[in-house]
Amino acid sequence: MTFPNGEAVVKVENLHKRFGELEVLRGINMEVDKGEVVVIFGRSGSGKSTLLRCVNFLEDPTEGTVEVSGIRLEGGHRTRGKRDQIRLLRLHAGMVFQQFNLFPHLTVINNVMEGPVTVKGISKDQARATGLELLGKVGLAEKADVYPIRLSGGQQQRVAIARALAMEPDVMLFDEPTSALDPELIGEVLSVMKSLATDLHMTMMVVTHEMGFAREVANRMMFFHEGVILEEGPPDRLFNHTQNPETRKFLEAVL
């Protein structure tokens, strides 16, 4: 779907998520515009990853609405019709997880091709050509016929990014994509993510503790605290002029 500049790709309204008695998200309202990079940060358990999982309905919101690329869904129980809408919504929202979740029995190129061929019905030849192009963008074209076990963690995460991009999503959701990596491998993944933002102008929601990436790439940052957005704004304001003591305390601890 093509969006005019300034039109929201993602809209979240009054989003709540409860696990039994525990309310993890407490009325989240937010929008992400086309081409915008939003970094979501905060302490463990503040609801950051749950938000991303609700945006693509890996978790059903308890209440509230989520809209991605014009596909609007209410929280609550799933029905057969709603399941069809969820599948449609997910075509527009690529997800990259902490763990790489590659299929170990498939080569790198076949991992990247799998979604376009099986979900979108694209021919194998076309999917392979696109997959090789995407692997080139993440610096792994020469690894196309290798199995994931032969790759480093950073390389596997870059394949996971190429696999998500192969579905041509309108927004990419990154759930702490470097947290499972050794320190020396983090930079290569962040470099690919930076190029997505600067070269492809990809709309991105990124849950991360990598504040250097946030300072350099984010258009907007959101500090989550106990299930609410406690403070948001451009990186310069949050890093240098935050007014909230909780935000300041967190940033002082991680910087």
CSV table of all heavy atoms in Angstrom, one decimal, residues 39 41 208-223 231-244 247-252 254-255:
chain,number,residue,atom,x,y,z
A,39,VAL,N,11.8,4.4,18.2
A,39,VAL,CA,12.5,3.5,19.1
A,39,VAL,C,11.7,3.5,20.4
A,39,VAL,O,11.4,4.5,21.0
A,39,VAL,CB,13.9,4.0,19.3
A,39,VAL,CG1,14.5,3.3,20.6
A,39,VAL,CG2,14.8,3.6,18.1
A,41,PHE,N,11.8,2.1,24.3
A,41,PHE,CA,12.7,1.7,25.3
A,41,PHE,C,12.1,1.7,26.7
A,41,PHE,O,11.1,2.4,26.9
A,41,PHE,CB,14.0,2.5,25.2
A,41,PHE,CG,13.9,3.9,25.6
A,41,PHE,CD1,14.5,4.3,26.8
A,41,PHE,CD2,13.2,4.8,24.8
A,41,PHE,CE1,14.5,5.7,27.2
A,41,PHE,CE2,13.2,6.2,25.2
A,41,PHE,CZ,13.8,6.6,26.4
A,208,THR,N,14.5,-1.6,21.7
A,208,THR,CA,16.0,-1.8,21.8
A,208,THR,C,16.5,-1.1,23.0
A,208,THR,O,15.9,-0.1,23.4
A,208,THR,CB,16.7,-1.4,20.5
A,208,THR,OG1,18.1,-1.8,20.7
A,208,THR,CG2,16.6,0.1,20.3
A,209,HIS,N,17.7,-1.5,23.5
A,209,HIS,CA,18.4,-0.8,24.5
A,209,HIS,C,19.7,-0.1,23.9
A,209,HIS,O,20.5,0.5,24.6
A,209,HIS,CB,18.9,-1.7,25.7
A,209,HIS,CG,17.8,-2.2,26.5
A,209,HIS,ND1,16.9,-1.4,27.2
A,209,HIS,CD2,17.4,-3.5,26.8
A,209,HIS,CE1,16.0,-2.1,27.8
A,209,HIS,NE2,16.3,-3.4,27.6
A,210,GLU,N,19.8,-0.2,22.6
A,210,GLU,CA,20.9,0.4,21.9
A,210,GLU,C,20.7,1.8,21.7
A,210,GLU,O,20.2,2.3,20.7
A,210,GLU,CB,21.2,-0.4,20.5
A,210,GLU,CG,21.5,-1.8,20.7
A,210,GLU,CD,22.8,-2.1,21.3
A,210,GLU,OE1,23.7,-1.2,21.3
A,210,GLU,OE2,23.0,-3.2,21.9
A,211,MET,N,21.1,2.6,22.7
A,211,MET,CA,20.8,4.1,22.6
A,211,MET,C,21.6,4.8,21.6
A,211,MET,O,21.2,5.9,21.1
A,211,MET,CB,21.1,4.7,24.0
A,211,MET,CG,20.1,4.1,25.1
A,211,MET,SD,18.4,4.6,24.8
A,211,MET,CE,17.7,3.1,24.1
A,212,GLY,N,22.8,4.3,21.2
A,212,GLY,CA,23.6,4.9,20.1
A,212,GLY,C,22.8,4.9,18.8
A,212,GLY,O,22.7,5.8,18.1
A,213,PHE,N,22.2,3.7,18.6
A,213,PHE,CA,21.3,3.6,17.4
A,213,PHE,C,20.1,4.5,17.5
A,213,PHE,O,19.8,5.2,16.5
A,213,PHE,CB,20.8,2.1,17.3
A,213,PHE,CG,19.8,1.9,16.2
A,213,PHE,CD1,20.1,1.7,14.9
A,213,PHE,CD2,18.4,1.9,16.5
A,213,PHE,CE1,19.2,1.5,13.9
A,213,PHE,CE2,17.5,1.7,15.6
A,213,PHE,CZ,17.8,1.5,14.3
A,214,ALA,N,19.5,4.6,18.6
A,214,ALA,CA,18.4,5.5,18.8
A,214,ALA,C,18.7,6.9,18.5
A,214,ALA,O,18.0,7.7,17.8
A,214,ALA,CB,17.8,5.3,20.2
A,215,ARG,N,19.9,7.3,19.1
A,215,ARG,CA,20.3,8.7,18.9
A,215,ARG,C,20.6,9.1,17.5
A,215,ARG,O,20.2,10.2,17.0
A,215,ARG,CB,21.6,9.0,19.7
A,215,ARG,CG,22.0,10.4,19.8
A,215,ARG,CD,23.4,10.5,20.4
A,215,ARG,NE,23.5,10.1,21.8
A,215,ARG,CZ,23.3,10.8,22.9
A,215,ARG,NH1,23.0,12.1,22.7
A,215,ARG,NH2,23.4,10.3,24.1
A,216,GLU,N,21.1,8.1,16.7
A,216,GLU,CA,21.5,8.4,15.3
A,216,GLU,C,20.4,8.2,14.3
A,216,GLU,O,20.3,8.9,13.3
A,216,GLU,CB,22.7,7.4,15.0
A,216,GLU,CG,23.3,7.7,13.7
A,216,GLU,CD,24.6,6.8,13.4
A,216,GLU,OE1,24.9,6.0,14.3
A,216,GLU,OE2,25.2,7.0,12.4
A,217,VAL,N,19.5,7.3,14.6
A,217,VAL,CA,18.5,6.8,13.5
A,217,VAL,C,17.1,7.2,13.8
A,217,VAL,O,16.3,7.5,12.9
A,217,VAL,CB,18.6,5.3,13.3
A,217,VAL,CG1,17.7,4.9,12.2
A,217,VAL,CG2,20.1,4.9,12.9
A,218,ALA,N,16.7,7.2,15.1
A,218,ALA,CA,15.3,7.4,15.5
A,218,ALA,C,14.8,8.8,15.1
A,218,ALA,O,15.5,9.8,15.3
A,218,ALA,CB,15.0,7.1,16.9
A,219,ASN,N,13.6,8.9,14.6
A,219,ASN,CA,12.9,10.1,14.5
A,219,ASN,C,12.2,10.5,15.9
A,219,ASN,O,12.1,11.7,16.2
A,219,ASN,CB,11.8,10.1,13.4
A,219,ASN,CG,12.3,9.7,12.1
A,219,ASN,OD1,12.1,8.6,11.6
A,219,ASN,ND2,13.1,10.7,11.5
A,220,ARG,N,11.8,9.4,16.6
A,220,ARG,CA,11.0,9.6,17.8
A,220,ARG,C,11.3,8.5,18.7
A,220,ARG,O,11.6,7.4,18.3
A,220,ARG,CB,9.5,9.7,17.5
A,220,ARG,CG,8.6,10.1,18.6
A,220,ARG,CD,7.3,10.6,18.1
A,220,ARG,NE,6.7,9.9,17.0
A,220,ARG,CZ,5.6,9.1,17.1
A,220,ARG,NH1,5.0,9.1,18.3
A,220,ARG,NH2,5.2,8.4,16.1
A,221,MET,N,11.4,8.8,20.0
A,221,MET,CA,11.6,7.7,21.0
A,221,MET,C,10.4,7.7,22.0
A,221,MET,O,9.8,8.8,22.3
A,221,MET,CB,12.9,8.0,21.8
A,221,MET,CG,14.1,7.9,20.9
A,221,MET,SD,15.6,8.4,21.8
A,221,MET,CE,15.7,7.0,23.0
A,222,MET,N,10.1,6.5,22.5
A,222,MET,CA,9.0,6.4,23.5
A,222,MET,C,9.6,5.6,24.7
A,222,MET,O,10.1,4.5,24.5
A,222,MET,CB,7.8,5.6,22.9
A,222,MET,CG,7.1,6.4,21.8
A,222,MET,SD,5.7,5.4,21.2
A,222,MET,CE,5.0,6.6,20.1
A,223,PHE,N,9.4,6.2,25.9
A,223,PHE,CA,9.9,5.5,27.1
A,223,PHE,C,8.7,4.9,27.7
A,223,PHE,O,7.7,5.5,28.2
A,223,PHE,CB,10.5,6.5,28.1
A,223,PHE,CG,10.9,5.9,29.4
A,223,PHE,CD1,11.9,4.9,29.4
A,223,PHE,CD2,10.4,6.3,30.6
A,223,PHE,CE1,12.3,4.3,30.6
A,223,PHE,CE2,10.8,5.8,31.8
A,223,PHE,CZ,11.7,4.7,31.8
A,231,GLU,N,6.9,9.0,28.5
A,231,GLU,CA,7.5,10.2,27.8
A,231,GLU,C,7.8,9.9,26.4
A,231,GLU,O,8.3,8.7,26.1
A,231,GLU,CB,8.7,10.7,28.5
A,231,GLU,CG,9.2,12.1,28.0
A,231,GLU,CD,10.4,12.6,28.9
A,231,GLU,OE1,10.8,11.9,29.8
A,231,GLU,OE2,10.8,13.8,28.6
A,232,GLU,N,7.6,10.8,25.4
A,232,GLU,CA,8.1,10.6,24.1
A,232,GLU,C,8.5,11.9,23.5
A,232,GLU,O,8.2,13.0,23.9
A,232,GLU,CB,6.9,10.0,23.2
A,232,GLU,CG,5.7,10.9,23.0
A,232,GLU,CD,4.7,10.2,22.1
A,232,GLU,OE1,5.0,10.0,20.9
A,232,GLU,OE2,3.6,9.9,22.5
A,233,GLY,N,9.3,11.7,22.4
A,233,GLY,CA,9.8,12.9,21.7
A,233,GLY,C,11.0,12.6,20.9
A,233,GLY,O,11.5,11.4,20.8
A,234,PRO,N,11.6,13.6,20.2
A,234,PRO,CA,12.8,13.3,19.4
A,234,PRO,C,14.0,13.0,20.3
A,234,PRO,O,14.0,13.4,21.5
A,234,PRO,CB,13.0,14.6,18.6
A,234,PRO,CG,12.3,15.7,19.4
A,234,PRO,CD,11.1,15.0,20.1
A,235,PRO,N,15.0,12.2,19.8
A,235,PRO,CA,16.1,11.8,20.6
A,235,PRO,C,16.8,12.9,21.3
A,235,PRO,O,17.1,12.8,22.5
A,235,PRO,CB,17.0,11.1,19.6
A,235,PRO,CG,16.1,10.6,18.5
A,235,PRO,CD,15.0,11.6,18.4
A,236,ASP,N,17.0,14.0,20.6
A,236,ASP,CA,17.7,15.1,21.3
A,236,ASP,C,17.1,15.6,22.6
A,236,ASP,O,17.7,15.8,23.6
A,236,ASP,CB,17.9,16.3,20.3
A,236,ASP,CG,18.6,17.5,20.9
A,236,ASP,OD1,19.8,17.3,21.2
A,236,ASP,OD2,18.0,18.5,21.2
A,237,ARG,N,15.7,15.7,22.5
A,237,ARG,CA,15.0,16.2,23.7
A,237,ARG,C,15.1,15.1,24.8
A,237,ARG,O,15.3,15.5,26.0
A,237,ARG,CB,13.6,16.5,23.4
A,237,ARG,CG,12.8,17.1,24.6
A,237,ARG,CD,11.5,17.6,24.2
A,237,ARG,NE,10.5,16.6,24.0
A,237,ARG,CZ,10.0,15.8,25.0
A,237,ARG,NH1,10.3,16.0,26.2
A,237,ARG,NH2,9.1,14.9,24.7
A,238,LEU,N,14.9,13.9,24.5
A,238,LEU,CA,14.9,12.8,25.6
A,238,LEU,C,16.3,12.7,26.1
A,238,LEU,O,16.5,12.5,27.4
A,238,LEU,CB,14.4,11.5,25.1
A,238,LEU,CG,12.9,11.3,25.4
A,238,LEU,CD1,12.0,12.3,24.6
A,238,LEU,CD2,12.4,9.9,25.1
A,239,PHE,N,17.3,12.7,25.3
A,239,PHE,CA,18.7,12.5,25.8
A,239,PHE,C,19.2,13.8,26.6
A,239,PHE,O,19.9,13.6,27.6
A,239,PHE,CB,19.7,12.2,24.7
A,239,PHE,CG,19.6,10.8,24.2
A,239,PHE,CD1,19.3,10.6,22.9
A,239,PHE,CD2,19.8,9.7,25.0
A,239,PHE,CE1,19.2,9.3,22.4
A,239,PHE,CE2,19.8,8.4,24.6
A,239,PHE,CZ,19.4,8.2,23.2
A,240,ASN,N,18.8,14.9,26.1
A,240,ASN,CA,19.4,16.2,26.7
A,240,ASN,C,18.5,17.0,27.5
A,240,ASN,O,19.0,17.8,28.3
A,240,ASN,CB,20.0,17.0,25.6
A,240,ASN,CG,21.1,16.3,24.8
A,240,ASN,OD1,21.9,15.7,25.3
A,240,ASN,ND2,21.0,16.3,23.4
A,241,HIS,N,17.2,16.8,27.4
A,241,HIS,CA,16.3,17.7,28.1
A,241,HIS,C,15.1,17.0,28.6
A,241,HIS,O,14.0,17.6,28.7
A,241,HIS,CB,15.8,18.9,27.1
A,241,HIS,CG,16.9,19.6,26.4
A,241,HIS,ND1,17.7,20.5,27.1
A,241,HIS,CD2,17.3,19.5,25.2
A,241,HIS,CE1,18.6,21.0,26.3
A,241,HIS,NE2,18.4,20.4,25.1
A,242,THR,N,15.2,15.7,29.0
A,242,THR,CA,14.1,15.0,29.5
A,242,THR,C,13.6,15.7,30.8
A,242,THR,O,14.4,16.1,31.6
A,242,THR,CB,14.4,13.5,29.8
A,242,THR,OG1,13.3,12.9,30.4
A,242,THR,CG2,15.6,13.4,30.7
A,243,GLN,N,12.3,15.7,30.9
A,243,GLN,CA,11.7,16.3,32.1
A,243,GLN,C,11.2,15.3,33.1
A,243,GLN,O,10.9,15.7,34.2
A,243,GLN,CB,10.4,17.2,31.7
A,243,GLN,CG,10.8,18.3,30.7
A,243,GLN,CD,11.8,19.3,31.3
A,243,GLN,OE1,11.6,19.8,32.4
A,243,GLN,NE2,12.9,19.5,30.6
A,244,ASN,N,11.2,14.0,32.7
A,244,ASN,CA,10.6,13.0,33.6
A,244,ASN,C,11.8,12.3,34.4
A,244,ASN,O,12.7,11.8,33.8
A,244,ASN,CB,9.9,12.0,32.8
A,244,ASN,CG,9.1,11.0,33.6
A,244,ASN,OD1,9.6,10.2,34.3
A,244,ASN,ND2,7.7,11.2,33.6
A,247,THR,N,12.5,8.6,33.2
A,247,THR,CA,13.2,8.6,32.0
A,247,THR,C,14.7,8.9,32.2
A,247,THR,O,15.6,8.2,31.7
A,247,THR,CB,12.7,9.6,31.0
A,247,THR,OG1,11.2,9.4,30.9
A,247,THR,CG2,13.2,9.3,29.6
A,248,ARG,N,14.9,10.0,33.0
A,248,ARG,CA,16.3,10.4,33.3
A,248,ARG,C,17.1,9.3,34.0
A,248,ARG,O,18.2,9.0,33.7
A,248,ARG,CB,16.3,11.7,34.1
A,248,ARG,CG,17.7,12.3,34.3
A,248,ARG,CD,17.6,13.6,35.1
A,248,ARG,NE,16.7,14.5,34.5
A,248,ARG,CZ,15.6,14.9,35.1
A,248,ARG,NH1,15.2,14.4,36.3
A,248,ARG,NH2,14.8,15.8,34.6
A,249,LYS,N,16.4,8.7,35.0
A,249,LYS,CA,17.1,7.6,35.8
A,249,LYS,C,17.5,6.4,34.9
A,249,LYS,O,18.5,5.9,35.0
A,249,LYS,CB,16.2,7.2,36.9
A,249,LYS,CG,16.8,6.2,37.9
A,249,LYS,CD,16.0,6.1,39.2
A,249,LYS,CE,14.6,5.7,39.0
A,249,LYS,NZ,13.9,5.4,40.3
A,250,PHE,N,16.6,6.1,34.0
A,250,PHE,CA,16.8,4.9,33.1
A,250,PHE,C,18.0,5.3,32.1
A,250,PHE,O,18.9,4.5,32.0
A,250,PHE,CB,15.6,4.6,32.3
A,250,PHE,CG,15.8,3.4,31.3
A,250,PHE,CD1,15.6,2.1,31.7
A,250,PHE,CD2,16.2,3.7,30.0
A,250,PHE,CE1,15.9,1.1,30.9
A,250,PHE,CE2,16.4,2.6,29.1
A,250,PHE,CZ,16.2,1.3,29.6
A,251,LEU,N,17.9,6.4,31.5
A,251,LEU,CA,19.0,6.8,30.6
A,251,LEU,C,20.3,6.9,31.3
A,251,LEU,O,21.4,6.5,30.7
A,251,LEU,CB,18.6,8.1,29.9
A,251,LEU,CG,17.5,8.0,28.8
A,251,LEU,CD1,17.1,9.4,28.4
A,251,LEU,CD2,17.9,7.1,27.7
A,252,GLU,N,20.4,7.4,32.5
A,252,GLU,CA,21.6,7.5,33.2
A,252,GLU,C,22.2,6.1,33.5
A,252,GLU,O,23.4,5.9,33.5
A,252,GLU,CB,21.4,8.3,34.5
A,252,GLU,CG,21.3,9.8,34.3
A,252,GLU,CD,20.9,10.5,35.6
A,252,GLU,OE1,20.6,9.8,36.6
A,252,GLU,OE2,20.9,11.7,35.6
A,254,VAL,N,21.8,3.4,31.5
A,254,VAL,CA,22.2,2.7,30.3
A,254,VAL,C,23.2,3.4,29.4
A,254,VAL,O,23.9,2.8,28.6
A,254,VAL,CB,21.0,2.3,29.4
A,254,VAL,CG1,20.0,1.4,30.2
A,254,VAL,CG2,20.3,3.6,28.9
A,255,LEU,N,23.4,4.7,29.7
A,255,LEU,CA,24.4,5.5,28.8
A,255,LEU,C,25.7,5.4,29.5
A,255,LEU,O,25.9,5.3,30.7
A,255,LEU,CB,23.9,6.9,28.7
A,255,LEU,CG,22.6,7.1,27.8
A,255,LEU,CD1,22.2,8.6,27.9
A,255,LEU,CD2,22.9,6.7,26.4
